Structures are given as structure tokens and as C-alpha cells.
Amino acid sequence: MIEVRRYTEGDAQAWNAFVERARNATFLFDRRYMDYHSDRFADHSLLVYRRGRLLALFPANSSGRVVYSHQGLTYGGLVTDQQATTALVQDIFRAINDYYRKERFERVVYKALPWIYHDYPSEEALYALTSVCQAHLKSRAVGTAMPLHGHLPFTEARKSGLRKARRAGLQVAQCNDIETFWHILDDNLWRSHGAHPVHTLEELCLLAQRFPQNIALYMATLDNVPVGGVLLYLSRQVVHTQYISATEQGKRVGAIDAIFEHLLSEDYAQRFFDFGTSVIGSTCELNEPLIFQKEGFGGRAVCYDVYEWELWKLRNLGN
């Protein structure tokens, strides 16, 4: 009854059209986004059909004998429309497991999409992960989010930063100067962690050009000199902070506090503001100074979960 086949470039239009009408998708699942780093990942995404009708998408890549959903994205998971029921999603996962098993893969690592990104309740997949896949929780990162309307007030620490920003005369506005912001971000990451941004400057400029309605940059300036910025990813339900960074001067004068006050006063159509995760590396150890700052704006915890299951075990269980 259910047909599973691997994504090819010829499926891009059908794939993107399904993403547009899905109840649990963001523009990160658009192939124009997914494929910007196709040279880094071996794509092994799937399309799921029944009687010729597209039922679901499974954004994924492979490495060795392992399937990931998806290493190049913040989150992954099964993408469905409002017609997908719990029993159907179970059947879909059985079909997906059968496909990957026949392709001689051994294991699946699955990044679940946090519930705040759902347009409509969509946790059938979470149920199927345990009922069908016998999956276990591999890791859990903690993020910070809040409703855009009726959120908690700023803490005194954040109010203090705002007072510094006002005394310094900081100005906050939306702009398109991705290059200046990227260099602030890169310098900050290199000094603090000896690392570079996940996106190169060229990649970030390309994505901003491809998705002008979904990627927005806000910068704080002091005497017309940029001292901090926040790069946003805008989906249907969530305003997400993809990158946050400030110069040393910007940190001293509360640049990030000023930007967030500006952002939270904007009239966004989305329901939630997501500050992103606050963990250290793959261990998911809590980054206390970072989450302290985010919770100071009124945010509270949302989990980013990763599940894992062994495909060979399912054969023994009859799935």
C-alpha cells in the first residue's frame, strides 16, 4: 500500500510544494535551503506515497551505515500534512525502516522537530518512534522560547543592560549588512571558542538572497558603528534567533539587550520567539551563562530531542 522512494533532483518541485502545505515544516526543509551544503552531506531523503498520492517527506542524509535526519539542519523528522493519522504514520515508519534496511543501513538517528514549530498537533511521529521503531532518546538539548504576546517581563539584569544601551545612545534597526555581522560573529566565536560560524559568509549571503522573507538581520549601532546583531529565521509559527553576537564594546553597552527589546516590540505574526539552544557541544551540558541571558528576557525551556534506533533489531521484532 505504501511506496517509499529516494529523493532525486527531479522531485524538487513536488517536495517544496509539500513543504509549503505541511503542518510541521519550516523553510529549512525547502530543497533550496537543504541543498546549499549538498557537497558536505550525502543526501538520502525519502518521499512516501500511497496510490500515487504524496503522504510524507523524510529529510535525511547518510554517513557510512547510518541514516541521519538531518545532520545539516537544526531539526529534522517526518514531514506530514493534516491528513496523516497516527495509524498511517506508524505504517509510514514501517515502510521507511524496510527501505533503509534493504539498502543495508544499520541505524537511524532522528532529530525531532520541537512542538512550537507545528502549525497543527503533529506528534504522531514521536509515538511511532517508540511503538514501531523501538527508539531510545539519544540526547536532549535545552532551548529557550516564549510566546510573543503575554510573555514574562525582563529580569533586572536585562533591564540593567537596557539602561546602559539607552545611556550610550544605541540605535537598533533592520539591515542587510550580512558581511559586517558575519565578521562580528566570526571574531567573537574565534576569541571565545576557537571556532567559526556553521555558515560561511558566502553561504549566509546565498541563503539570505534565496529566502528574503525568512531571514532577517537586526543590528545595533553606536555612533553609526555596528556593535552587535541578531540574525533571525522566520517560519510560520516561530521567530528563531539563528545567530547572536556583539563586539566587546557592544557587550559593555548592552547591545544585545537593546536588540531584543526592539525585536520583542515588533508586530510579528508568529506565535513564539525561540532563542535557540544553550548547551555545550555534543554532550548537551548546560551553558548556564547563555541560558541565564535568554531566560532573562522571559523565555523558558523547550527541548530539542534526538532519537536513535537499530534497524536490525526491528527485523527480529517482526517490524
Side-chain angles (χ1 to χ4, degrees):
M1 296 287 288
I2 292 180
E3 175 195 358
V4 175
R5 63 180 180 83
R6 186 174 181 176
Y7 171 83
T8 68
E9 289 184 4
D11 297 313
Q13 184 175 354
W15 178 289
N16 289 342
F18 191 90
V19 168
E20 279 295 313
R21 68 175 186 270
R23 57 175 165 163
N24 59 343
T26 75
F27 76 99
L28 271 68
F29 296 139
D30 188 296
R31 296 309 307 199
R32 293 172 299 159
Y33 190 98
M34 287 184 62
D35 293 342
Y36 85 87
H37 49 21
S38 58
D39 58 318
R40 296 188 220 164
F41 301 99
D43 190 89
H44 209 121
S45 301
L46 302 179
L47 299 95
V48 183
Y49 292 87
R50 183 172 64 181
R51 300 189 186 97
R53 177 179 175 269
L54 185 56
L55 298 177
L57 309 174
F58 193 69
N61 71 283
S62 61
S63 179
R65 296 291 91 196
V66 183
V67 175
Y68 297 89
S69 75
H70 179 297
Q71 285 180 295
L73 302 177
T74 306
Y75 38 70
L78 186 73
V79 179
T80 59
D81 61 18
Q82 292 193 11
Q83 305 307 311
T85 63
T86 301
L88 176 59
V89 170
Q90 286 187 306
D91 288 341
I92 288 172
F93 271 97
R94 291 186 184 100
I96 287 173
N97 288 335
D98 284 344
Y99 170 88
Y100 283 131
R101 203 161 45 211
K102 289 173 182 175
E103 293 293 313
R104 304 181 67 82
F105 289 104
E106 299 172 355
R107 186 159 45 98
V108 179
V109 178
Y110 182 100
K111 291 181 181 178
L113 180 71
W115 65 271
I116 57 174
Y117 288 89
H118 296 175
D119 294 350
Y120 202 82
S122 304
E123 294 193 339
E124 295 85 0
L126 288 184
Y127 178 71
L129 291 186
T130 54
S131 66
V132 172
C133 303
Q134 306 294 309
H136 67 270
L137 183 65
K138 178 178 173 66
S139 66
R140 170 170 284 160
V142 65
T144 308
M146 65 186 187
L148 275 166
H149 303 287
H151 56 78
L152 295 171
F154 286 13
T155 62
E156 181 54 36
R158 301 282 62 82
K159 291 177 181 177
S160 175
L162 284 174
R163 289 193 290 269
K164 291 178 184 177
R166 289 166 184 157
R167 287 196 297 268
L170 279 181
Q171 300 295 314
V172 177
Q174 186 174 359
C175 72
N176 297 314
D177 193 356
I178 298 288
E179 182 173 359
T180 295
F181 172 71
W182 188 91
H183 285 297
I184 291 174
L185 175 66
D186 187 53
D187 290 344
N188 200 10
L189 285 174
W190 184 252
R191 284 198 311 269
S192 302
H193 306 291
H196 297 289
V198 172
H199 297 90
T200 67
L201 173 59
E202 293 74 20
E203 288 171 342
L204 209 52
C205 289
L206 174 65
L207 291 172
Q209 183 181 29
R210 286 183 178 178
F211 299 96
Q213 303 304 313
N214 299 104
I215 298 178
L217 173 64
Y218 288 80
M219 295 274 278
T221 57
L222 182 61
D223 298 327
N224 294 318
V225 176
V227 293
V230 174
L231 186 77
L232 301 178
Y233 275 15
L234 309 174
S235 60
R236 290 189 292 260
Q237 294 294 321
V238 180
V239 178
H240 170 73
T241 58
Q242 181 70 12
Y243 289 115
I244 307 168
S245 197
T247 65
E248 291 303 311
Q249 184 181 31
K251 293 173 185 178
R252 289 193 296 270
V253 297
I256 300 303
D257 296 302
I259 294 172
F260 277 121
E261 181 192 42
H262 180 88
L263 292 176
L264 295 174
S265 67
E266 291 284 292
D267 188 20
Y268 288 108
Q270 289 81 355
R271 295 174 58 200
F272 295 101
F273 195 98
D274 180 12
F275 294 91
T277 59
S278 299
V279 294
I280 301 171
S282 59
T283 65
C284 289
E285 177 186 352
L286 184 64
N287 186 329
E288 293 194 36
L290 183 57
I291 202 167
F292 174 80
Q293 180 192 49
K294 295 173 180 178
E295 290 178 340
F297 294 114
R300 291 298 182 266
V302 170
C303 289
Y304 283 69
D305 289 348
V306 178
Y307 295 85
E308 182 178 42
W309 65 92
E310 305 285 347
L311 291 167
W312 65 269
K313 288 183 179 181
L314 301 183
R315 180 181 300 159
N316 296 335
L317 291 169
N319 289 329

